[in-house]
Amino acid sequence: MAERAAARLFEIRGLRKLFPDGTEALAGVDLDIEADECLVIAGSNGSGKTLLMRTLVGLTDSSEGSALFRGVPVAKDPGAVRRAVGLVFQDADAQLVGETVEEDIAFGPRNLRLPQAEITARVAAALEAVGLSDKRKAPPRRLSGGEKRRLAIAGVLAMGCEAIIMDEPFANLDWPGVEQVLRAVSDLRSTGHAVVVLTHELEKILAHADRLAILDRGSIRDCGKPAEVLGRGVAAFGVRDPRQRYDSVEDCTWLE
Ligand SMILES: Nc1ncnc2c1ncn2[C@@H]1O[C@H](COP(=O)(O)OP(=O)(O)OP(=O)(O)O)[C@@H](O)[C@H]1O
Ligand SMILES: [Mg+2]
């Protein structure tokens, strides 16, 4: 059992997803995800980021290859993976389930059939952790985009997940919204959670990443320390190297 507990968070080998229309959306992904790291998976639109996340937690079946969670195939016990790995979806609205913010956060712990006192304590702690305590009675749909992302993170915290996968967590957020998400990422890291961020907005997260993986047309083209991966070049994979120095407004162009 001790060996099991020490196993990698995810071990992904030759993972393929072939759709009936012939689209090979995952084309043999090989990747290890450690239990104590912040891993950023970058890739352009359509590279397979969302599909990879869904496959890792058993929401989508793979066609070939294997994904092991803590040494056990995901397909064997997807429920266990989903209890351990929280998801923050690209579309924050797709994840809202409660009539109020606190009911939304309580949904997961209730499904775990925890005692009411434990649920109440977890909801209060999660609200506090993401700074949403004053919105506890608000309807989730009325929250701003940044607040909805923090609500999703609070739900993950209340579940007691050991890892979190965030799909494009910065999409549509203003600067304070990005800061709020980054603060939540930093807190999750300092409390021993593994954090996986799927994004093409490297400039917002890379300073906080232990490793950077580049996903391109359904396979991992490079993976390693962020500076080393960027040094080898990422433009060919539709990913922009964020290490720019701007001296003037004119320098801020994204066009070469
Ligand atoms: N049901 C399906 N049938 C055929 N192709 C599909 C299906 N679902 C997804 N795909 C394809 O799989 C590929 C990967 O999609 P995915 O949503 O994982 O991309 P992504 O990297 O998350 O993109 P984005 O940055 O736009 O969110 C895309 O080319 C998409 O068109
Ligand atoms: Mg996506």
Side-chain angles (χ1 to χ4, degrees), residues 34-144:
E34 308 294 341
D36 59 352
E37 72 172 335
C38 176
L39 171 68
V40 171
I41 304 178
S44 56
N45 294 142
S47 56
K49 301 182 296 294
T50 298
L51 202 58
L52 178 61
M53 173 182 87
R54 293 181 59 85
T55 311
L56 284 186
V57 297
L59 289 173
T60 298
D61 291 332
S62 58
S63 315
E64 243 179 64
S66 67
L68 303 185
F69 173 75
R70 294 282 189 199
V72 178
V74 169
K76 207 168 167 187
D77 191 358
V81 185
R82 285 205 283 278
R83 281 192 294 280
V85 182
L87 305 180
V88 174
F89 287 96
Q90 194 162 2
D91 174 11
D93 285 297
Q95 221 167 345
L96 305 177
V97 287
E99 293 292 312
T100 65
V101 163
E102 61 185 0
E103 281 171 29
D104 195 281
I105 299 171
F107 182 80
R110 240 188 265 293
N111 270 350
L112 294 176
R113 298 185 195 287
L114 296 173
Q116 185 55 47
E118 173 72 17
I119 295 174
T120 307
R122 285 194 184 196
V123 170
L127 280 166
E128 180 70 31
V130 301
L132 280 179
S133 297
D134 57 332
K135 302 268 184 187
R136 58 173 13 110
K137 298 289 181 200
R141 283 187 193 284
R142 277 198 217 145
L143 298 180
S144 75

